[in-house]
Amino acid sequence: MRFLWNHGQIPFQTGFTDNFASNEIIVPGITAADVFANLLDTSIWPSYYDNVADVYFYNYDGPILKKDTRFRFKTFGFPVEAEIIELEKPSQDKPGRLAWHGWEEGDADHRLDVVHAWLIEDMPKGRVRILPQESQKGKPAKDLFNTNPDTMNIGHQDWIKGLARTALESCKK
């Protein structure tokens, strides 16, 4: 399934960028709404994903992501500036979608541009699918592509597993 797309003047089609990560899990016992609520709340990100820190909001107080949110955070050793470019909460007949354009300013050796997109959907028999994908451009992305082990895919897999655990725990309360 091709999930990432072109956002206006920012082409991030898979296969045409310097690095791409796609992860997926399917989890029983929670709903897309449960997962989405925990994903939007950046105040709890560090509790279930140890590769994120220092979330800061520019255009409002946060911590809940919403349309047109402008924020920054640290991940994979990079300070990332970001802006929400798509946010649709899941409904009975549609998956939840969240995407941000992220970047790190700098010269050619340090400039990084990413689109990080999430698809979260209810599936038959009480299961939910969590699918994040990230397309990256720039020398840091090329460097990440060449890491062994693949730190980007490993990190994103940790993120979605932590997100699923957090959603499961919040449903038990």
Side-chain angles (χ1 to χ4, degrees), residues 63-76:
I64 308 300
L65 296 174
K66 58 185 183 178
K67 287 185 180 181
D68 302 318
T69 297
R70 177 87 161 68
F71 66 111
R72 74 170 182 242
F73 63 102
K74 290 182 184 169
T75 187
F76 291 98

Side-chain angles (χ1 to χ4, degrees), residues 3-5 12-23 45 49 51 73 75-76 78 80 82 98-103 112-119 131-137 140-141 144-145 150-153 155-156 159:
F3 173 43
L4 281 174
W5 52 92
F12 282 92
Q13 275 189 319
T14 55
F16 296 100
T17 58
D18 297 315
N19 193 21
F20 175 73
S22 182
N23 301 77
W45 284 4
Y49 182 50
N51 194 20
F73 63 102
T75 187
F76 291 98
F78 299 104
V80 176
L98 173 67
W100 58 75
H101 171 224
W103 63 92
L112 177 68
D113 272 291
V114 306
V115 168
H116 189 116
W118 295 82
L119 180 77
L131 170 66
Q133 294 185 332
E134 182 166 308
S135 247
Q136 307 171 334
K137 294 172 20 172
L144 280 170
F145 177 78
D150 184 349
T151 56
M152 184 63 59
N153 275 297
H156 285 170
W159 196 347

Side-chain angles (χ1 to χ4, degrees), residues 15-47:
F16 296 100
T17 58
D18 297 315
N19 193 21
F20 175 73
S22 182
N23 301 77
E24 177 182 36
I25 59 173
I26 298 173
V27 183
I30 51 178
T31 67
D34 298 328
V35 174
F36 211 75
N38 285 282
L39 177 59
L40 293 181
D41 186 350
T42 64
S43 71
I44 62 173
W45 284 4
S47 73

